[in-house]
Amino acid sequence: QMWARVLDIFPHLEDKVAHVEVGSPLSNNYYIGSQRGEIYGMHHGRDKFDPYVFAESRPTTAVKGLYLSGQDVAICGFSGAMMGGVIAASTVLDRDITKDIKNLYKSAKNIS
């Protein structure tokens, strides 16, 4: 029904989409075990943002070669997910990727 409504408004999309999947807070509860419909993985209550807890967050796990990335390593949301990826890459590569990003930014700024 939702896709039919979209096509009422944007009929040119009819042959452009091969698959549509819809979720709700109840879907999140069922598939990822979120108890209140939250869309993020780990609980992001106030304790998650405690400076000690945040400082101790690491992408490493007890499984050799398995690293965590994304918003559960840093903070919730899109920006947190990107930062979690940077932290994981820094750990895997054993270098500070944020310095690479800063240098790339400076180089790009000098070119333009």
Side-chain angles (χ1 to χ4, degrees):
Q1 292 174 340
M2 288 173 50
W3 183 241
R5 180 68 179 124
V6 169
L7 293 178
D8 287 343
I9 301 168
F10 305 103
H12 61 283
L13 295 178
E14 186 165 13
D15 61 345
K16 305 285 191 276
V17 176
H19 178 78
V20 175
E21 193 166 323
V22 180
S24 72
L26 292 176
S27 305
N28 292 343
N29 188 20
Y30 180 81
Y31 289 108
I32 64 172
S34 58
Q35 298 304 307
R36 295 185 178 103
E38 60 272 15
I39 60 172
Y40 300 118
M42 291 175 53
H43 174 68
H44 287 282
R46 288 185 349 184
D47 55 324
K48 169 75 173 164
F49 299 97
D50 178 272
Y52 179 78
V53 172
F54 186 75
E56 291 296 311
S57 296
R58 300 285 184 268
T60 53
T61 68
V63 179
K64 182 178 168 109
L66 176 64
Y67 297 89
L68 304 175
S69 66
Q71 57 102 30
D72 288 336
V73 174
I75 59 172
C76 57
F78 183 77
S79 297
M82 288 192 308
M83 199 62 216
V86 169
I87 293 168
S90 293
T91 301
V92 170
L93 298 173
D94 194 27
R95 62 189 284 168
D96 186 354
I97 299 298
T98 59
K99 289 180 182 176
D100 295 344
I101 294 169
K102 288 176 190 175
N103 290 335
L104 182 62
Y105 174 75
K106 288 177 185 175
S107 296
K109 193 173 180 181
N110 289 336
I111 292 171
S112 56

